Amino acid sequence: MSSRSVDPGDSTRHVSVTQYGIWLFEQLHPGTAAYNNAGAVLLHGDLDEEALAAAFEAVMRRHAPLRSRFEENDDGEVLAVVAPPAPTSVPFRVIDVSQSANPGAAADDAARGDWMRPFDLATGPVWRVLSIRIGPRDCMLVVTIHHICSDGASLGILFAEVETAYRAARHGTSRPPAPASVGYYDVIGQREHGPGRADADRAVQWWRAALAGVPDGIDLDPLAVADRTPTDSTGAAVAVAVSGQEPNDFHDRCRRHGASLFAGAAALLAIVLHLESGQLDIPLIVPVDTRDATSASLIGCFVNNVVLRLRVDPASTIGASIADAGRAMTDAVAHSAAPFGRVVAEVGAGQSSSRMPFSNVALVHNNAPTGTADWAGLRLTRHEIPVAAVRYDLALAIGRGADGGLHGNLEYSSRFSVDVARELARRWTTLVTVAVREPDTRIAELGALPRGDQRGER
């Protein structure tokens, strides 16, 4: 291996096409945190940090991606070097901010800083845990995992397994998770080099036709602050929320047009982007979780991006646009067997101007658990860390909350001002109301975002 030799007991496995793309991005952008995934919970009660560290170690032994590092060999092939599932030191760190003037704010700053700290994929580890003491019986627990070995669902799986393992370590009332019978690298090997290869080949051919002539992203330059670079991966987020009866009514409206609520959300986002850019052909990046019954409980990079290509017709109505988005979403998901990296390599010739292939805007299904839980006497609450790094110019993450409302956020690159982000979020939520009450409104009747002060500094 190019960085250091494989230790006795380590094994090497082939990485997936998606993992290779992430690895390559890291080589081209050293020191980036764009592919760091971070999740946080607030814990209230008497925390046993030794038992907590033991719980994370139990989970680390179960999942090979958490024991992996990634190197390029002398033949130019990138391999995962996997340490054996033996007792090992978990990257677990404890800090105390309880004496700060504002412990909560200090904890958020520490969490954000940990999120922004890059990983060394060649030496590992590619994940870490930070326990931040806020008070005598309160702490914030932050887990940061590189996307090369995880995805959004992985954080939920990890926290659930840590809870089980913590109970076992604390009280011995339950067993820690058993080793996975089928591992992540076995699953991706079957998909990309085994029987699943034929499905991927057919899907690539479909994408070749579906993406013919697709534009290279969405022109958002008129909304950007002139002196900010489009390659900067720093950013922030503004909240997006629709409450009351309206989310249910919007869901019903989408169903009447043969679309899911998520597809309806995509249609409205495409309309907003059309109004601001003037483009009629709107490509969006949509991450799809490709787990099945075999891999449902595995931590790993199972997400696969698809391109949702929506064509906006100014003479059409909002309702018709939702129906079109529903059909486009169904087709895109049905062909998600093609790894995004293959689609980029085999279909995306000429895709160069946007920071990410095919589009600079993403739509994400926000299905993170909400509410509170109990960890062997600890009260746990999910906590949102202030967004630190972004992969796209804009990314709308939206989903149904425990209260039935639509909740999420609009992440935006630092090349835009917070005023622009807030106005775009407001336009999207306003369109939810219009879609419910006046679905026959034609897109040409809707106005564009006001210019001038909306482009002011953050």
Side-chain angles (χ1 to χ4, degrees):
M1 309 294 288
S2 59
S3 295
R4 67 182 178 91
S5 60
V6 178
D7 296 330
D10 287 354
S11 63
T12 58
R13 303 298 299 267
H14 291 286
V15 299
S16 69
V17 173
T18 300
Q19 286 179 303
Y20 175 76
I22 294 171
W23 178 88
L24 184 60
F25 183 90
E26 289 273 330
Q27 310 314 302
L28 297 174
H29 303 85
T32 182
Y35 277 104
N36 287 10
N37 289 333
V41 294
L42 298 175
L43 298 174
H44 176 74
D46 295 321
L47 174 63
D48 184 336
E49 287 176 344
E50 184 175 337
L52 185 60
F56 277 105
E57 183 175 303
V59 176
M60 187 176 186
R61 289 198 298 270
R62 172 174 160 80
H63 296 280
L66 299 181
R67 307 191 309 275
S68 299
R69 55 187 178 86
F70 300 86
E71 291 191 351
E72 183 180 18
N73 64 15
D74 294 335
D75 296 325
E77 184 179 23
V78 178
L79 298 173
V81 182
V82 186
T88 184
S89 177
V90 172
F92 189 95
R93 188 164 60 102
V94 179
I95 63 173
D96 192 331
V97 300
S98 61
Q99 301 306 309
S100 303
N102 187 334
D108 275 341
D109 288 343
R112 197 171 189 268
D114 204 56
W115 181 357
M116 288 293 288
R117 191 157 53 91
F119 289 99
D120 187 329
L121 300 184
T123 62
V126 290
W127 70 296
R128 55 179 173 257
V129 183
L130 176 64
S131 179
I132 308 172
R133 295 172 182 163
I134 302 174
R137 303 183 74 241
D138 294 283
C139 86
M140 181 186 295
L141 184 64
V142 183
V143 178
T144 306
I145 314 180
H146 198 279
H147 190 32
I148 201 168
C149 66
S150 71
D151 51 23
S154 292
L155 284 169
I157 294 169
L158 184 143
F159 277 117
E161 292 193 0
V162 166
E163 186 270 338
T164 300
Y166 179 75
R167 288 179 183 274
R170 186 87 164 95
H171 301 303
T173 55
S174 59
R175 295 181 179 179
S181 57
V182 177
Y184 169 74
Y185 296 107
D186 299 317
V187 173
I188 63 169
Q190 287 295 306
R191 291 182 181 180
E192 298 189 5
H193 307 290
R197 174 78 185 193
D199 292 336
D201 290 343
R202 287 189 291 270
V204 168
Q205 292 306 311
W206 184 87
W207 285 111
R208 195 180 301 280
L211 296 178
V214 69
D216 186 10
I218 301 166
D219 182 13
L220 298 174
D221 287 346
L223 297 179
V225 177
D227 60 350
R228 294 185 184 171
T229 171
T231 59
D232 187 3
S233 65
T234 60
V238 294
V240 178
V242 181
S243 58
Q245 180 60 31
E246 209 153 70
N248 292 330
D249 293 340
F250 180 57
H251 196 179
D252 289 342
R253 173 61 60 192
C254 293
R255 279 195 297 239
R256 281 182 227 165
H257 291 283
S260 66
L261 185 147
F262 188 62
L268 302 190
L269 178 59
I271 292 171
V272 171
L273 294 171
H274 158 71
L275 294 174
E276 305 314 323
S277 67
Q279 283 186 212
L280 302 177
D281 195 343
I282 303 291
L284 302 174
I285 300 297
V286 177
V288 175
D289 189 340
T290 63
R291 286 175 175 81
D292 55 21
T294 302
S295 53
S297 62
L298 294 180
I299 289 172
C301 184
F302 286 101
V303 72
N304 186 39
N305 288 340
V306 299
V307 183
L308 183 65
R309 188 178 187 180
L310 301 179
R311 292 174 171 85
V312 179
D313 179 1
S316 186
T317 65
I318 293 176
S321 297
I322 291 173
D324 291 342
R327 289 188 288 270
M329 184 76 76
T330 298
D331 285 342
V333 173
H335 294 89
S336 60
F340 186 63
R342 277 194 64 187
V343 176
V344 173
E346 299 182 33
V347 181
Q351 292 283 325
S352 60
S353 64
S354 51
R355 288 195 297 118
M356 302 296 281
F358 292 113
S359 186
N360 49 338
V361 180
L363 177 68
V364 181
H365 186 201
N366 184 11
N367 57 356
T370 58
T372 61
D374 180 81
W375 278 17
L378 290 172
R379 185 173 179 271
L380 175 147
T381 307
R382 299 282 173 176
H383 182 71
E384 289 290 332
I385 308 173
V387 169
V390 297
R391 298 171 203 159
Y392 301 92
D393 277 349
L394 299 171
L396 176 63
I398 199 73
R400 299 297 291 267
D403 62 354
L406 278 171
H407 297 283
N409 59 61
L410 179 67
E411 295 183 3
Y412 61 98
S413 164
S414 57
R415 65 189 291 247
F416 304 101
S417 72
V418 66
D419 291 331
V420 161
R422 285 172 177 158
E423 181 61 17
L424 291 172
R426 186 195 66 79
R427 298 283 326 249
W428 185 87
T429 57
T430 299
L431 278 181
V432 172
T433 301
V434 178
V436 169
R437 300 179 184 177
E438 302 174 80
D440 294 330
T441 300
R442 298 191 182 279
I443 294 169
E445 299 171 5
L446 302 168
L449 187 155
R451 302 293 190 245
D453 291 344
Q454 296 296 338
R455 296 168 57 186
E457 291 297 319
R458 213 159 39 98

